Amino acid sequence: MKNLLYKEWKLAIHPTGYIFLLFGVMLLIPNYPYFVAFFYQTLAIFFTFMNGNTTNDIFFTALLPVRKRDVVKARLGAVIGLEVLQMLIAVPFAILRSQIIPTENLAGLDASLALFGLVFIMFGVFNVVFLPQFYRTGYKTGTPYLLATLVMTLVIVAAELVIQLTPALKQALDTPACTLPQIIVLFAGLLIFALLNLVAYRRSASAFERLDL
Amino acid sequence: MDALSVSHLEKTYPAFHLRDVSFSVQPGRIMGFIGRNGAGKTTTMKSILNLVHPNAGSIQFFGLDMPAHEFEIKQRIACIFGAANYYSQSLLQTIADVYRRFYPNWDDALYRTYLQHFALDPGKRLKQLSQGMSIKFALTLALSHHAELLILDEPTSGLDPVSRDELLHIFEDIVDHEGASIFFSTHITSDLDKNADDILYIKDGQIIACEEKDAFVASYRKVDGLTADLPADLKTRIIGFHERKGEFSGLVRVTDARGVSGLNFTPADLESIMVCTERG
């Protein structure tokens, strides 16, 4: 498993996966839908899978002494790694924003713990749709990506709308202040992220094991 | 114990059916796998490696069941499907650095020997290599972990005659000095004429010959002559009968050639056997 993860970092991850990690800096834009800063990482993940078709990644990996389930596990591990790193790198910028730009974000949720909780859910939804769809064929990336981003966008827009249109929620969550409801959303997001990734792994591994390469 | 033993392998696709494929590769021997394009060679190889799921049949490597012992089996074998057409933007040394981690028996000194032997520069990117050189790199990786069985799909296609000859000698060295076995498919039957011990011949998804190469080749004769001199009963038994301007050519079994005079019988080779058999 450690070797497979090493292979992911050295050979498989598309360079945009690393470049887009820096997009957390977008949290310094005073008025901006901050989910977009994290959305870019899903694009980089898509590029990694698409690039895998060009580099024959799956075939190279399947010929190694590895279990097919571990191939999926390593790829999901790399995806989760990129997503979590994207969020960790964004944290200092969120703190900096609250220090240097005291005004409210007029384009959506503030850079808060609740935002990070919802981004966890956003990434979880992306993973649970995209990966199992991809591993059904082992090469089709376009349709799975469109489907995953569509579901992910619907979930995020719905969450944003509910928060913005419900005064109590807006007051509790749409603020950079570190409050209990924000902490609850953060940990709920983390839990949902973990559960969705577990489902993503099980469904992807099962699809990949059935697949004829 | 056989290096590889395949029994009653079946794989069905909508437009293709691999039927009752059975054969074994013995230790220390080179088995050539021949058949025209689409006959089922790659499907057979993918099935035995668990890359595609057979509908029926059993596969054993070194007495171990596949896929139950897939992990252990794959550490003891090496596989190449054509050239190294993966991670074209990566350096050879980066790919090797990743690859070697999966094999406990990786031999770095042997790896460097093959790099030198094939004149491969580890600082180059894979995309900078010609087709022939990328095959050599794939072989370098495959040969550097003391595999007990090499499964190679078209390893010599795209190589110049000198490199092919070099490679065939390396195959012989591996078999003779390391006691490994080689199972390789090729369209270049002259390569098998040179160094295969056994022949496996597949046609339309079915094995039509699995035997020791010299005996297989010796069981046929090429025949040609004037059509007027050809006895009617022999004509029906000629394999791949071809006639032009009153002359004919084809292939016969040695048993059918006995007692026939007035025709020109010459020793057959794998290419003539395959061409005539496919011609029907």
Side-chain angles (χ1 to χ4, degrees):
Chain A
M1 191 55 199
K2 189 181 71 180
N3 292 333
L4 273 172
L5 273 172
Y6 185 79
K7 187 226 87 183
E8 292 294 314
W9 296 119
K10 293 291 280 187
L11 295 174
I13 303 288
H14 193 267
T16 52
Y18 303 112
I19 296 165
F20 291 174
L21 288 177
L22 302 173
F23 280 19
V25 76
M26 291 168 90
L27 297 192
L28 292 179
I29 302 171
N31 296 302
Y32 193 72
Y34 291 138
F35 289 111
V36 176
F38 301 95
F39 160 81
Y40 280 106
Q41 191 52 249
T42 68
L43 201 59
I45 291 163
F46 166 62
F47 290 154
T48 293
F49 278 84
M50 201 168 63
N51 194 46
N53 288 342
T54 314
T55 57
N56 281 322
D57 175 71
I58 282 199
F59 205 69
F60 173 84
T61 314
L63 284 175
L64 293 170
V66 294
R67 294 169 191 88
K68 273 178 115 177
R69 298 187 83 81
D70 288 342
V71 175
V72 175
K73 198 185 280 180
R75 174 53 59 89
L76 181 62
V79 165
I80 291 172
L82 285 172
E83 291 167 344
V84 171
L85 264 177
Q86 175 91 356
M87 294 172 74
L88 288 176
I89 290 172
V91 169
F93 296 108
I95 295 168
L96 194 61
R97 187 203 182 278
S98 67
Q99 300 298 313
I100 62 174
I101 311 169
T103 55
E104 183 191 353
N105 175 18
L106 298 175
L109 268 181
D110 272 325
S112 61
L113 291 180
L115 173 81
F116 284 93
L118 289 173
V119 170
F120 268 129
I121 296 172
M122 177 181 116
F123 281 145
V125 169
F126 175 80
N127 295 351
V128 83
V129 179
F130 181 70
L131 271 82
Q133 286 290 321
F134 170 78
Y135 282 111
R136 282 172 65 184
T137 63
Y139 67 92
K140 278 189 182 172
T141 50
T143 310
Y145 185 68
L146 279 177
L147 199 62
T149 46
L150 181 71
V151 177
M152 178 180 80
T153 306
L154 285 175
V155 169
I156 286 306
V157 169
E160 180 85 49
L161 281 176
V162 167
I163 293 168
Q164 296 299 333
L165 299 176
T166 313
L169 285 178
K170 184 168 171 58
Q171 193 180 3
L173 301 178
D174 193 11
T175 162
C178 180
T179 61
L180 182 64
Q182 296 242 11
I183 294 169
I184 291 171
V185 171
L186 177 68
F187 281 99
L190 186 59
L191 185 67
I192 291 168
F193 181 65
L195 288 174
L196 289 176
N197 280 326
L198 192 63
V199 176
Y201 166 65
R202 286 192 175 160
R203 294 182 61 189
S204 302
S206 157
F208 191 50
E209 280 190 333
R210 285 197 303 270
L211 187 65
D212 279 347
L213 294 173
Chain B
M1 186 192 304
D2 292 332
L4 169 64
S5 170
V6 177
S7 307
H8 310 297
L9 183 70
E10 302 260 348
K11 175 68 185 173
T12 306
Y13 288 112
F16 179 75
H17 188 183
L18 199 65
R19 290 163 224 260
D20 197 22
V21 170
S22 298
F23 64 93
S24 61
V25 180
Q26 290 157 18
R29 290 181 75 85
I30 300 175
M31 176 179 264
F33 191 18
I34 57 172
R36 65 185 304 174
N37 293 335
K41 298 191 296 296
T42 302
T43 302
T44 301
M45 288 183 150
K46 284 184 170 181
S47 297
I48 61 180
L49 292 168
N50 199 32
L51 296 174
V52 302
H53 302 81
N55 299 98
S58 70
I59 298 143
Q60 285 194 326
F61 287 82
F62 320 112
L64 300 169
D65 283 325
M66 184 77 154
H69 297 88
E70 182 176 359
F71 189 71
E72 184 187 341
I73 287 167
K74 282 187 172 172
Q75 283 186 335
R76 296 171 64 181
I77 65 173
C79 317
I80 295 182
F81 283 79
N85 51 357
Y86 35 74
Y87 312 118
S88 57
Q89 302 284 347
S90 299
L91 300 175
L92 305 193
Q93 62 199 21
T94 309
I95 297 171
D97 174 49
V98 170
Y99 185 87
R100 70 182 174 83
R101 290 161 190 269
F102 291 89
Y103 296 94
N105 289 335
W106 178 265
D107 185 336
D108 221 40
L110 190 59
Y111 166 67
R112 283 195 294 273
T113 305
Y114 279 122
L115 279 182
Q116 206 167 13
H117 188 84
F118 288 137
L120 286 161
D121 175 1
K124 275 194 170 179
R125 295 187 190 280
L126 203 52
K127 68 174 181 181
Q128 294 173 290
L129 303 187
S130 65
Q131 168 86 354
M133 292 301 275
S134 69
I135 290 176
K136 288 179 179 178
F137 178 61
L139 282 162
T140 299
L141 293 181
L143 298 175
S144 297
H145 61 93
H146 298 287
E148 294 165 60
L149 169 67
L150 274 77
I151 297 178
L152 313 167
D153 191 15
E154 305 284 350
T156 50
S157 305
L159 290 180
D160 63 76
V162 179
S163 297
R164 278 199 353 248
D165 189 62
E166 240 173 44
L167 187 66
L168 296 176
H169 283 128
I170 288 171
F171 286 178
E172 288 166 3
D173 280 349
I174 293 165
V175 169
D176 294 345
H177 299 126
E178 297 220 13
S181 315
I182 296 178
F183 176 50
F184 81 102
S185 74
T186 182
H187 290 125
I188 307 169
T189 49
S190 59
D191 289 349
L192 299 178
D193 281 319
K194 283 180 194 162
N195 75 355
D197 297 308
D198 303 295
I199 288 295
L200 183 67
Y201 184 0
I202 189 167
K203 186 182 178 195
D204 299 329
Q206 279 184 297
I207 300 297
I208 59 170
C210 178
E211 54 189 292
E212 200 264 322
K213 183 198 71 187
D214 291 340
F216 177 64
V217 172
S219 66
Y220 291 94
R221 288 283 183 277
K222 286 198 279 188
V223 58
D224 59 79
L226 297 172
T227 312
D229 296 337
L230 179 62
D233 62 328
L234 182 63
K235 186 178 177 182
T236 58
R237 293 198 296 274
I238 289 183
I239 303 161
F241 181 80
H242 176 66
E243 186 181 19
R244 187 163 184 258
K245 294 182 179 174
E247 294 185 352
F248 79 95
S249 64
L251 188 77
V252 287
R253 291 187 182 277
V254 167
T255 47
D256 292 331
R258 279 186 196 131
V260 178
S261 58
L263 299 176
N264 185 27
F265 291 99
T266 51
D269 54 20
L270 283 172
E271 182 168 320
S272 57
I273 294 171
M274 192 174 149
V275 167
C276 289
T277 304
E278 295 295 333
R279 204 189 282 155

